[in-house]
Amino acid sequence: MALLDILHFPDQRLRLKAQPVTVMDEKTQQIVANMFETMYHFAGIGLAAVQVNIQKSIIVMDLSAEKNQPQCFINLKILAKQGKDKHEEGCLSVPGIYEKVARAKWIKIEALNQNGQLIQQELTGLPAICLQHELDHLNGKLFIDYVSALKLQRARAKLKKQQAEPL
Ligand code: NI
């Protein structure tokens, strides 16, 4: 396994779109394993391949407190969505910025798991929010795209101030 570099905003490679995975070969398994290692290392709850400069439709996620429930979503599609939910989001590619984003409250998804089996799930709460956030990454979209420029400017200023403060 290997730790991968995470791209940080405003790196334009975060705007690239992922292509579907066509074969579940050893190389794909290696990417998945490296993405899990990278996500756990940086204490993220989800990671999309585009964030590590791999333009493939691969998402890894683990929402458990013990970090022992790895989930992998390949070629994720949202089949249906309903309702609205607003939660504070952060992102490994946009460190230090946390803003509320409106997402669908309920989603029905289809994807391949790590073994290449087709799965369908209905999700609400954090899993639903996280997968919508990660799927955006695969389409070159960041959560801060939903936040107003003014709010973002304030968040950046706050962050700069925090960084400037001595320990
Ligand atoms: Ni993110």
Side-chain angles (χ1 to χ4, degrees):
M1 294 214 289
L3 210 55
L4 305 169
D5 287 330
I6 293 180
L7 302 177
H8 289 143
F9 176 80
D11 195 312
Q12 282 306 304
R13 289 172 293 179
L14 286 168
R15 300 304 182 180
L16 297 174
K17 289 191 169 104
Q19 299 300 314
V21 173
T22 50
V23 277
M24 287 290 289
D25 54 6
E26 207 172 302
K27 202 180 156 199
T28 307
Q29 297 292 347
Q30 193 63 53
I31 292 171
V32 171
N34 290 342
M35 283 176 64
F36 272 120
E37 187 182 346
T38 305
M39 178 185 75
Y40 287 129
H41 178 82
F42 291 103
I45 57 171
L47 185 70
V50 167
Q51 291 180 272
V52 288
N53 199 27
I54 297 170
Q55 289 78 38
K56 297 249 180 219
S57 183
I58 304 173
I59 291 167
V60 295
M61 178 171 96
D62 189 340
L63 304 173
S64 67
E66 300 80 16
K67 297 293 164 205
N68 58 4
Q69 283 167 42
Q71 287 180 278
C72 176
F73 301 86
I74 291 166
N75 299 343
L76 174 75
K77 273 188 213 143
I78 295 179
L79 302 176
K81 50 180 162 182
Q82 252 175 33
K84 272 228 165 115
D85 208 355
K86 228 174 175 188
H87 269 269
E88 195 168 71
E89 296 184 19
C91 180
L92 290 174
S93 292
V94 193
I97 305 265
Y98 299 90
E99 286 293 335
K100 279 194 172 170
V101 177
R103 304 274 187 192
K105 197 181 179 79
W106 171 93
I107 58 170
K108 184 178 179 183
I109 61 113
E110 183 181 276
L112 298 176
N113 67 13
Q114 198 169 347
N115 304 318
Q117 294 160 321
L118 190 69
I119 50 163
Q120 275 198 0
Q121 289 177 355
E122 292 181 34
L123 304 163
T124 56
L126 190 57
I129 290 163
C130 189
L131 283 186
Q132 288 174 81
H133 175 119
E134 302 309 336
L135 188 59
D136 270 357
H137 275 303
L138 299 181
N139 290 312
K141 200 160 180 157
L142 298 171
F143 82 106
I144 50 172
D145 298 346
Y146 299 103
V147 178
S148 78
L150 184 67
K151 261 193 165 176
L152 209 57
Q153 203 176 26
R154 279 198 200 130
R156 280 217 195 97
K158 198 173 143 194
L159 193 67
K160 220 172 164 184
K161 205 178 148 195
Q162 280 169 356
Q163 283 168 344
E165 276 167 10
L167 287 170

